[in-house]
């Protein structure tokens, strides 16, 4: 583990629309494994084959010599991949068929799923069905409303389908029958990676999932009544809402509609664990802030993440921030903006991590200051910054073939030390302090470093206005960095581009 990146993430689609060629899609692999069969997972598939083709062709075009069959990529996000074909599209088909072992879907909205539907027919039944892993409610929606022989052919291996896909229904919160210790509840995702899924909320709607029937049913008679203050259905489709109705736009609706008439739109957060190093990342689907949610669930994710942050095991979070702070809460439609994301990360920062105070270096070297970071920033020519965890991973920087090393804080304890390291006397002393001063100003303050130091936060699912102005991600990133510094979080924020490879 000494210094090497544990994960590589390739961002195929970084946006939340409206362009269909760049909506959400990531590839994740363990750097301990080669580009072999079943060595990669896709997380969401709004963009899948199109993103792979675009990324491959860009890297192949930058190569000085023509790519021949059997050549190995020497630059770009797919460095180290042996190409069985000559063209980008043929090699992309190979990656989809052979290299990607499973597709993890956070929720069944089209901007996270459409690429999978369109791409699936090129799969070959002889290679076995491609696994689609998700919560039961998401599998139900995919099965009943997409691969249903109406919207799209039934290409699954259920109900007499073509057998190109197979469904893996994940246990929310992790399957307790799998794993042990730090990986309790995790299931095998692909070679080298384990995963655990926690549900999060993505707004509210009138469709409720019933586990007994595995179907979604409309709550009440109709979401649209004769109330003149309510938006017509066609207004929703042009407002980039992902089909989520925002009751905050109609005060009379909020007052007159019983709370139990609404259902939560379920989304997911995947904890992805690298078996070789014990490191983890979290990839969120679309998510709303707990402060506005009908069914707040984010805190549970942060409670699971907090000891991993304190141990240095959690290296990065991929999370949406769809709009800038000019967007009012009623217009977020189950999404985040900078003020809400900072509030959520502040919850994570304020949770007890139980990090031990006086820790000796793990390798016997000189002790590192508690203020040192595992990730540093470097100013680029255009005035931006790039993290050490993604050095030379931008698709436009192909000067090195190997993924970068990480700069580790040698005082970072193991996860076991974080969970069990404090003595009972120390814990009682800390609990007494917490009652007087609050969680955030005790354990974390004693570290003399900001609570989320070393954690990289990558922003995805940004809604693009398709205007002549600067990219919306520029303003979102500026607001996040300013507010994150003011909140004393210590994490670093990045907005990746489509086709960018990130080593973490």
């Amino acid at each position: 583990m000494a210094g090497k990146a544990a994960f590589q993430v390739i961002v195929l689609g970084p946006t939340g629309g409206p362009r269909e060629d760049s909506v959400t899609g990531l590839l994740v692999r363990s750097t301990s494994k080669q580009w072999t069969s079943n060595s990669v997972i896709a997380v969401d598939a709004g963009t899948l084959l199109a993103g792979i083709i675009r990324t491959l062709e860009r890297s192949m075009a930058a190569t000085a010599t023509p790519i021949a069959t059997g050549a190995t990529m020497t630059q770009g996000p797919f460095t180290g991949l042996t190409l069985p074909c000559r063209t980008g599209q043929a090699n992309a088909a190979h990656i989809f068929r052979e290299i990607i072992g499973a597709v993890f879907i956070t929720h069944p909205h089209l901007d996270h799923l459409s690429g999978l539907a369109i791409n699936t027919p090129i799969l070959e039944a002889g290679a076995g069905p491609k696994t689609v892993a998700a919560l039961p409610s998401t599998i139900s929606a995919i099965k009943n409303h997409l691969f249903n022989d109406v919207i799209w052919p039934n290409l699954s291996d259920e109900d007499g389908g073509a057998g190109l896909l197979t469904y893996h229904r994940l246990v929310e919160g992790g399957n307790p029958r799998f794993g042990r210790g730090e990986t309790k509840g995790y299931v095998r995702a692909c070679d080298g990676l384990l995963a655990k899924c926690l549900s999060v909320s993505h707004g509210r709607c009138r469709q409720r999932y019933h586990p007994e029937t595995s179907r979604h049913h409309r709550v009440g008679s109709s979401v649209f009544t004769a109330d003149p203050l309510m938006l017509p259905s066609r207004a929703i489709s042009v407002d980039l809402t992902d089909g989520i109705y925002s009751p905050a736009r109609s005060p009379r609706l909020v007052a007159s509609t019983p709370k139990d008439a609404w259902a939560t739109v379920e989304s997911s957060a995947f904890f992805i664990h690298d078996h070789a190093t014990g490191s983890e990342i979290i990839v969120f689907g679309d998510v709303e802030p707990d402060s506005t949610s009908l069914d707040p669930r984010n805190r549970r994710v942060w409670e699971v993440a907090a000891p991993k942050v304190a141990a240095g095991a959690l290296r990065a979070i991929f999370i949406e921030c769809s709009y800038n702070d000019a967007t009012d809460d009623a217009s977020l439609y189950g999404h985040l903006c900078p003020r809400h994301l900072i509030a959520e990360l502040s919850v994570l920062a304020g949770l007890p991590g139980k990090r031990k105070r006086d820790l000796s270096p793990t390798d016997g070297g000189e002790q590192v200051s508690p203020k040192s970071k595992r990730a540093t920033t470097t100013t680029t020519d255009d005035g931006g910054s790039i993290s050490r965890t993604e050095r030379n991973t931008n698709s436009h920087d192909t000067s090195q073939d190997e993924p970068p090393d990480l700069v580790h804080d040698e005082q970072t304890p193991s996860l076991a030390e974080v969970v069990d390291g404090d003595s009972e006397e120390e814990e009682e002393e800390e609990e007494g302090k917490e009652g007087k001063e609050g969680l955030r100003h005790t354990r974390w303050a004693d570290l003399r470093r900001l609570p989320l130091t070393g954690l990289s936060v990558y922003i995805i699912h940004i809604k693009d206005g398709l205007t002549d102005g600067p990219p919306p991600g520029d303003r979102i990133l500026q607001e996040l960095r300013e507010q994150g510094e003011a909140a004393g979080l210590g994490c670093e924020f990045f907005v990746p581009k489509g086709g960018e490879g990130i080593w973490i």
Side-chain angles (χ1 to χ4, degrees):
M1 178 177 175
K4 285 292 185 181
F7 299 92
Q8 185 191 2
V9 179
I10 301 177
V11 181
L12 302 178
T15 79
R19 282 182 51 161
E20 74 278 11
D21 62 343
S22 63
V23 287
T24 308
L26 307 173
L27 300 182
V28 184
R29 73 181 187 99
S30 169
T31 60
S32 67
K33 303 295 180 180
Q34 302 299 318
W35 293 94
T36 55
S37 178
N38 192 37
S39 63
V40 173
I41 61 170
V43 180
D44 282 333
T47 300
L48 190 53
L49 263 179
I52 298 173
I53 293 171
R54 183 167 53 241
T55 304
L56 275 174
E57 289 182 340
R58 183 183 300 156
S59 297
M60 293 169 70
T63 303
T65 58
I67 297 294
T69 300
T72 299
M73 294 292 292
T74 59
Q75 57 185 349
F78 289 100
T79 294
L81 171 66
T82 299
L83 303 175
C85 308
R86 291 184 297 102
T87 65
Q89 61 182 16
N91 285 309
H94 167 73
I95 291 171
F96 181 44
R97 289 172 178 148
E98 302 294 337
I99 306 298
I100 297 175
V103 182
F104 282 67
I105 302 295
T106 60
H107 65 293
H109 287 163
L110 280 177
D111 58 331
H112 298 253
L113 191 61
S114 58
L116 175 65
I118 301 298
N119 300 162
T120 298
I122 75 160
L123 294 175
E124 298 172 345
K130 186 72 64 184
T131 298
V132 177
L135 291 174
S137 62
T138 297
I139 296 295
S140 169
I142 294 171
K143 176 179 177 178
N144 294 317
H145 303 293
L146 183 58
F147 293 107
N148 64 353
D149 284 331
V150 178
I151 301 300
W152 200 249
N154 178 12
L155 302 179
S156 77
D157 58 1
E158 297 185 8
D159 300 331
L164 301 182
L165 299 173
T166 189
Y167 297 129
H168 181 183
R169 294 164 175 85
L170 299 173
V171 176
E172 199 282 330
N175 190 330
R177 296 182 179 181
F178 292 109
R180 63 185 64 181
E182 297 171 7
T183 60
K184 183 73 171 177
Y186 287 72
V187 298
R188 185 176 181 274
C190 68
D191 286 349
L193 296 180
L194 307 174
K196 181 170 71 174
C197 180
L198 272 68
S199 66
V200 295
S201 297
H202 175 30
R204 62 186 72 181
C205 67
R206 297 295 291 270
Q207 293 282 348
R208 181 168 293 162
Y209 172 70
H210 291 265
E212 295 82 4
T213 63
S214 294
R215 290 185 177 272
H216 296 77
H217 299 279
R218 183 168 290 279
V219 181
S221 58
S222 176
V223 67
F224 302 112
T225 70
D227 187 337
L229 292 181
M230 294 178 63
L231 291 173
S233 59
R234 62 181 178 274
I236 296 179
S237 65
V238 299
D239 204 8
L240 302 181
T241 65
D242 291 332
I244 301 173
Y245 184 71
S246 177
R249 286 198 175 277
S250 175
R252 287 176 58 186
L253 176 64
V254 173
S256 62
T257 304
K259 183 178 180 180
D260 60 3
W262 294 103
T264 297
V265 178
E266 189 170 54
S267 184
S268 310
F270 292 121
F271 284 76
I272 302 176
H273 180 96
D274 176 56
H275 183 70
T277 65
S279 299
E280 296 199 10
I281 62 174
I282 306 174
V283 180
F284 278 82
D286 294 353
V287 59
E288 67 179 344
D290 273 355
S291 60
T292 65
S293 178
L294 179 72
D295 183 14
R297 305 183 188 183
N298 295 339
R299 183 180 176 87
R300 181 163 165 254
V301 176
W302 303 136
E303 288 172 346
V304 174
K308 301 176 187 294
V309 173
L314 183 62
R315 294 188 174 184
I317 297 174
F318 288 78
I319 190 168
E320 68 127 289
C321 192
S322 297
Y323 304 100
N324 63 50
D325 271 342
T327 307
D328 59 86
D329 287 356
S331 301
L332 289 175
Y333 301 103
H335 294 290
L336 295 175
C337 61
R339 64 179 178 275
H340 286 304
L341 178 52
I342 294 300
E344 291 292 336
L345 292 173
S346 295
V347 173
L348 172 61
L351 289 170
K354 293 187 179 180
R355 187 199 291 264
K356 297 186 72 174
R357 290 171 184 77
D358 298 316
L359 295 166
S360 59
T362 57
D363 60 357
E366 183 180 353
Q367 192 165 2
V368 180
S369 166
K371 294 183 180 180
S372 63
K373 295 183 178 181
R374 289 198 311 278
T376 60
T377 56
T378 303
T379 302
T380 59
D381 293 339
D382 59 1
S385 63
I386 187 167
S387 72
R388 287 294 300 275
T389 57
E390 62 168 351
R391 183 186 60 196
N392 297 321
T393 63
N394 188 293
S395 58
H396 302 294
D397 183 359
T398 57
S399 58
Q400 292 192 10
D401 301 340
E402 296 297 325
D405 292 348
L406 288 176
V407 180
H408 289 283
D409 179 356
E410 296 175 343
Q411 289 187 285
T412 300
S414 68
L415 185 57
E417 289 177 312
V418 169
V419 175
D420 301 319
D422 289 344
S423 67
E424 292 183 4
E425 292 79 11
E426 287 176 324
E427 290 184 356
E428 290 175 359
E429 179 183 356
E430 287 179 342
E431 288 171 0
K433 292 180 181 178
E434 289 164 11
K436 297 178 181 179
E437 303 177 23
L439 287 171
R440 189 174 179 184
H441 301 290
T442 54
R443 289 177 175 142
W444 290 121
D446 288 343
L447 299 175
R448 301 191 306 277
R449 59 182 284 168
L450 300 178
L452 302 185
T453 296
L455 181 68
S456 297
V457 180
Y458 295 92
I459 304 304
I460 54 177
H461 200 272
I462 293 174
K463 297 285 190 179
D464 196 337
L466 301 183
T467 66
D468 288 333
D474 291 357
R475 179 172 175 180
I476 290 172
L477 184 60
Q478 179 183 1
E479 292 176 349
L480 285 170
R481 287 176 172 172
E482 290 175 352
Q483 295 177 39
E485 182 177 0
L489 296 180
C491 57
E492 295 184 270
F493 295 96
F494 305 95
V495 175
K497 297 179 174 61
E500 183 173 343
I502 305 168
W503 279 267
I504 301 169

